[in-house]
Every structure is written in structure tokens, then in C-alpha cells.
Amino acid sequence: MKTLNLHNSQIHFFLPDRLESEGSVLVVSDSQVAPLYLKQFLSQIHAPQVFSYILPSGEESKNPKELFSLLEYALACKLDRKSLMIALGGGVVSDIVGLASGLYMRGIDFYSIPTTLLAQVDASVGGKCGINSPQGKNLIGIFHQPSKVFISPLFLSTLPPREFNAGLAEVIKMAICFDSSLFSSLSSPQWVKQNIEEVIYKSISLKAHIVEQDERESNLRASLNYGHTFGHIIEQEGDYKKYLHGEAVSMGMVMANALATSYNGFSQNKEVIELLQTYHLPTHYHINHLSSFFDALFLDKKTQNRKIKFILPKAIGSYEFAYPQEEEIMEVLRDFV
Amino acid sequence: MKTLNLHNSQIHFFLPDRLESEGSVLVVSDSQVAPLYLKQFLSQIHAPQVFSYILPSGEESKNPKELFSLLEYALACKLDRKSLMIALGGGVVSDIVGLASGLYMRGIDFYSIPTTLLAQVDASVGGKCGINSPQGKNLIGIFHQPSKVFISPLFLSTLPPREFNAGLAEVIKMAICFDSSLFSSLSSPQWVKQNIEEVIYKSISLKAHIVEQDERESNLRASLNYGHTFGHIIEQEGDYKKYLHGEAVSMGMVMANALATSYNGFSQNKEVIELLQTYHLPTHYHINHLSSFFDALFLDKKTQNRKIKFILPKAIGSYEFAYPQEEEIMEVLRDFV
């Protein structure tokens, strides 16, 4: 049974049969995951008091109203500083629970039990949490590391294929930036299915290695945002409903690759598109309003004083930070209109 | 020109003529302070863009709605990670700005320029920030240290005497727990008026020394909450309108002293009451509903598993942490019914 240590977080690659807590526990799940796993999970918790709370599933829940409803419920349960929140669900659940537990009495512990591939390889590790605004994704949030993360591929058996593939988009992202041999392995969906534990472990290890060196994203950690600068705008333009996060990242990577091709002569966008299509991920985004798409870039968290920091691949397995001129970005975006 | 260093915070005992910032600046003030000082202050800021935002004055503003209105304004101003928020006002302003800047893009810098005595000696130093809930004060918040604090007694010339005295309540609190000679000096309002800079510096130094050793309030820092366990309930029962924070703390200290008298034989409550009355601070709270007052104790942040951590003076200048039995607390509270 493998475990990774990351700052104050322990990432366990198993699900415990029994979870004990000295203080009260509040398990937060969503309307999709709760019917499948909540009851069974609650029965495994041994604590003075156990409460549960169900969020509406979907990215739209990452808003101030849902956050404060959850916080008010926690207050009504009289959780104290020894209490524990547990996120049982996808990235939306762990993002909200990470933020709520970070704000509750200025911070109580939380555990994350990610039930989607996306949350397993991405949201549950690294401590970023937050909610969305009309102006963009995750613009309101904090860093709050879960004290424990439990990762089990068992949950993936009930995951719709579309969501599984969207999760793989983040694995592909890691492979493009950091690991060309992982990129090659991913070309066989058969191999991926059979070795999903290894794929998850590999992807998380790569992420943990980065986060360990730069938790607060002073520099290095920004590399994990490859595909996300464009991806966030795509998600937002689709009202967080039209595309899953991984699908938006998929199209965002293709756009970033087009910019890389212009900026540094990156020549493997075709291979990337092929791999993404293997998993039925969308690879072309049609920009409706070029100027508003362009303007939205300047609200990205990686933008400072109107300089946008892009993460651009140089070749499969390596990347660079780049600050292309506004005109060069615009030129590339015109191909997507 | 004195400066104290506390973690990543610099506490300066002067007001700069000119403030420079590389990124945009958002100055947040309130409806009471803004007419007096905002215009002049804005003219001293040199930054690419300078915005201002005015909160309604008063403790009632510490709610989710005001917090998110401010965050939305910051987003509309397109603040980025290099931007700076500045709190120009009392503790309410610095509490909200500390939280908003901590949440904005997972944390940007903020400066605090406290304009009340209370904020100068308390809220602006130490990094606690937050908002209130129907269930209690500051139950939702984070630790976020201002990168700079500027303290000037000039602001106190326009402070209503009632607010000045309420601020002194926090100084008296520090003296009772940590400094018997400060306690003696405070007995002369004349001396205090003439030496207010020294009083503020002394009080902040004592607080900084505590916070330095225990920023996250694992233990030692809880000593700063003397008078607050009861005080928070008093404030809440008055809807945060009837009493100023310092007034509630004044009554809370008298109640804590009564408990100390019963618990450890503390014998100087009379001296404390005399000093508080010198500054026209209220020293007796009338409890309307004993059981609801008692129950509210268990939602305090210092309560864990129904054990309430009290900070009780042993003598002027020294204190202890204590966990009195529920029956003993109830017995003391009966004297306030």
C-alpha cells in the first residue's frame, strides 16, 4: 500500500475500511456520488458525531452561495476546531470543502476522497481550492492542503466514460510537460485501462514533485497550468456546463500548442491531437468573439501587469514559460475563429 | 521612526507621505473614515492604477454579502497578483480587507492603516481576519498577515471619545494579562492622553511578542482572548450594534474575573472595574436568557469537544489557561442574571 508525503498531506493509495476521528466529522458529497457511495462510507466512520451534506453536482456549485450554505450547515452542526470535514466526490466537492474547511474557524482539517479520475490525478492533490466568479474560474480561493487523501480506482467503475476521458486529459497534460515515456504508454487505451493504478500513481507523483518545490506557485508550479489559460476561458464561455474541465483543457492544450508552434517551433501538435482523439476528447474550439476571448486572458491569475505567462511545450516531455507579444497571441487565435 | 517586524509583516509607527506600488492599488475604507481621510490618502499613492471602495461603517458589514461585493469590485478592477489592497479604517475594514485579499486569486498583498485606537492596538496586528455569522463573531476567516501596517496617532484626533475608550479596553486587557506596570500607568487618563504613542507601542509590542511565538493560536496566543469568550456573546446578543467591541470585552473581562475569583481566588476584580470605569467603560452585563448565553459558549472557537478554554487572570500581570466545570461557570453566570 503506497503512500506519498506532500507537505502536511499524506496521499494514500487505498481506501480504509474504518476511519476514526477524535472530533465530529462532516462528510460532504454531491448529488451524483452520494447515492452510490455515501451510505456505505458513513458506516465506516467512527467519531463522536457524524454529519453529511450533499451539494448539487456540477461546476456551477462552486459559487459563494453554496460555499456559505455549507459553512452555515457546519456551524449548525457546531463543528469545532477538532472537527474534520471529508470531501467524497469529484473536484468540485474537494474544491469547496477545501475552501470551507480552510475558512471554518480560520481553518480545520479536511480529508479528500476523490471519486473521479480528474479529482484523483488533479484536484485532490496540491491544496488549491476555490470557487468561480462570473469573471473566471477559481479566482476566489486559498491554499489548503488536505491532511489525508485516499485514492482508490474502485470508484472509477461507476464513472461515465466521458468523465474518465476528461480525467485522462490531465494525465496527458502531465505527460506532455514532464514525461515522454508516459506519453507513449498512453497511446494504448487498453494498457491504460489495465494499468490505471500505475497511471494515477505516476501522474500524482509528477504533480507532487512540482508542488513540493513550489506550493504557492511562485514559479515552477505554474507549469501545471499548461492548457489551462485558454481552457479556463473555454469553460467559462460554455457556462461551465458545455464542457467538462478536462475537455476544455484538451482544447486549451491544442491552442497552447499552436502558440508554441509559432513561438518556439514546437512540431508535435499532431501527435498530441491524435492522442487526445484516442480518448474522444475535443481538439478544436471555435472562438465566437475574438476580442472578448482575448480580453478574458487578462483576468487569468497567471497574468500580471498585462503580461501573460504561458506554459508552452518545446517537445513532448519538456516545456518553457513564455511571454509572447499580444500580437502573436492574437495571430494564433485568429485560426480558431 | 520605530518599526516592529512580525513574521512577514512590518509594523511602522508613522504614516508615509508617499506610497509606491508596482501593481494596481485598491484602497478600502468605510463610510465614516472615507470623508475624513480618503481623498488626501489617495493623492499620496503612486501606482499604475488606484481604485477605492467604501464599506458601510460598523460591525454589521462583516458579512458574506459585503465580502463578495468587495471581491467582485476587485475583479471588475482587474486586480492581479501584483496588486495591493489597503485597509484604511477601523478593525471592521482591516478584517474584511485581510480576508478579501487573502481570498483574491488565492492571496495578494495588503497593507493596513488603522484609524481607530482599537484597530491600532489589536485588529491590524496579528493577521486574524474574518466575518461574522448569525452563530457568532469571526467564525469564518483565515490568517493573513498584512505585509505592512502604518500606525499614526494623528487619526485619533477625530475619533469619538467612546471609541477611544473602547480601544483602551484592549490595552487594559494586555496590561492585566502581561504587564502590571502598564496597568498602573493606565490609571491616569491624563498620562495616557499625553503618552498615547508609547501606550500603543507598548501594547502592540506585547501582542507581537505573543503572535510571533504562536501565529496560529495552537496555545499561547489564546491568551489574547482574555475577556473575549464572554465578550463575543455579549456583542452578538446586542446584534453587534448595542456595544462596541471594546465595551463588550470590558464586560467580558469582569465576567472572566468573577470566574477567576471562584476558580483560582483572583482578588483584584475591584481594581480592574475601577480602571475600566475611569474610561467610562461598562462593567456589568445583564444576562437575559441564562441558558442561551451558556449554550453560546460552546460555539466559541476556543471550545473543543465541549471543553471551553478560559483565560483567567491570577493577579494583575499574570494569567492562566483554565477549563472550569460547566457547573462552576453556570454558578458564576447566575450572578449576572
Side-chain angles (χ1 to χ4, degrees), chain B residues 36 56 76 81 106 131 145 168 190 213 279 282 316:
Chain B
L36 298 170
R81 283 188 174 161
R106 295 196 197 94
I131 53 175
Q145 301 283 352
L168 264 187
Q190 194 57 23
Q213 296 168 74
Y279 296 97
I316 301 296

Side-chain angles (χ1 to χ4, degrees), chain A residues 17-23 25 41-50:
Chain A
D17 296 336
R18 189 184 159 88
L19 258 176
E20 295 199 23
S21 169
E22 238 192 275
V25 173
F41 181 69
L42 290 175
S43 74
Q44 294 170 325
I45 300 175
H46 298 264
Q49 283 185 294
V50 182

Side-chain angles (χ1 to χ4, degrees), chain A residues 35-300:
Chain A
L36 297 169
Y37 299 110
L38 183 60
K39 198 178 159 195
Q40 162 75 11
F41 181 69
L42 290 175
S43 74
Q44 294 170 325
I45 300 175
H46 298 264
Q49 283 185 294
V50 182
F51 304 96
S52 64
Y53 186 88
I54 299 174
L55 290 161
S57 79
E59 188 75 28
E60 312 98 83
S61 287
K62 285 174 59 176
N63 66 53
K65 197 173 143 279
E66 292 296 339
L67 172 69
F68 278 90
S69 298
L70 170 57
L71 283 167
E72 274 158 32
Y73 184 73
L75 287 165
C77 296
K78 302 186 192 242
L79 296 196
D80 64 26
R81 283 188 173 159
K82 279 264 182 256
S83 301
L84 175 69
M85 289 195 200
I86 301 181
L88 177 72
V92 170
V93 175
S94 70
D95 274 11
I96 297 181
V97 173
L99 181 54
S101 57
L103 287 169
Y104 192 83
M105 295 191 173
R106 296 198 195 93
I108 62 172
D109 262 10
F110 85 107
Y111 291 178
S112 183
I113 304 186
T115 58
T116 65
L117 181 58
L118 180 71
Q120 292 183 344
V121 297
D122 197 39
S124 68
V125 173
K128 280 190 182 179
C129 49
I131 53 175
N132 303 327
S133 318
Q135 289 90 343
K137 257 198 99 171
N138 297 326
L139 291 174
I140 308 300
I142 53 173
F143 290 91
H144 189 212
Q145 300 284 351
S147 48
K148 288 176 200 277
V149 183
F150 295 100
I151 289 178
S152 163
L154 290 175
F155 293 113
L156 305 182
S157 64
T158 52
L159 195 66
R162 184 182 165 199
E163 290 212 30
F164 182 87
N165 291 333
L168 265 187
E170 289 280 352
V171 179
I172 293 170
K173 175 199 81 175
M174 297 303 288
I176 295 170
C177 284
F178 306 108
D179 192 332
S180 61
S181 83
L182 178 60
F183 187 87
S184 308
S185 310
L186 293 174
S187 66
S188 158
Q190 195 58 26
W191 180 87
V192 167
K193 276 256 150 74
Q194 281 161 4
N195 297 276
I196 190 67
E197 282 203 65
E198 190 184 328
V199 170
I200 295 169
Y201 182 78
K202 185 80 203 162
S203 189
I204 291 179
S205 305
L206 288 167
K207 178 166 181 180
H209 182 66
I210 301 289
V211 174
E212 201 169 31
Q213 295 168 74
D214 177 23
E215 185 187 11
R216 295 291 166 124
E217 197 166 316
S218 319
N219 189 27
L220 184 64
R221 182 168 179 170
S223 60
L224 299 174
N225 293 316
Y226 163 53
H228 285 61
T229 306
F230 294 121
H232 280 168
I233 303 171
I234 295 171
E235 270 188 285
Q236 191 190 335
E237 292 197 343
D239 269 339
Y240 303 111
K241 282 178 204 149
K242 194 165 175 190
Y243 303 108
L244 296 174
H245 176 68
E247 292 170 346
V249 169
S250 173
M251 293 181 277
M253 289 192 284
V254 175
M255 287 173 108
N257 293 354
L259 184 56
T261 305
S262 145
Y263 186 85
N264 64 21
F266 175 68
S267 65
Q268 295 166 291
N269 203 7
K270 201 170 148 278
E271 285 96 311
V272 172
I273 290 173
E274 269 173 29
L275 182 59
L276 294 168
Q277 288 177 346
T278 304
Y279 295 99
H280 313 289
L281 287 162
T283 53
H284 186 84
Y285 182 66
H286 174 72
I287 298 176
N288 264 317
H289 299 284
L290 182 57
S291 63
S292 64
F293 190 97
F294 185 74
D295 284 348
L297 285 171
F298 295 97
L299 244 187
D300 188 87

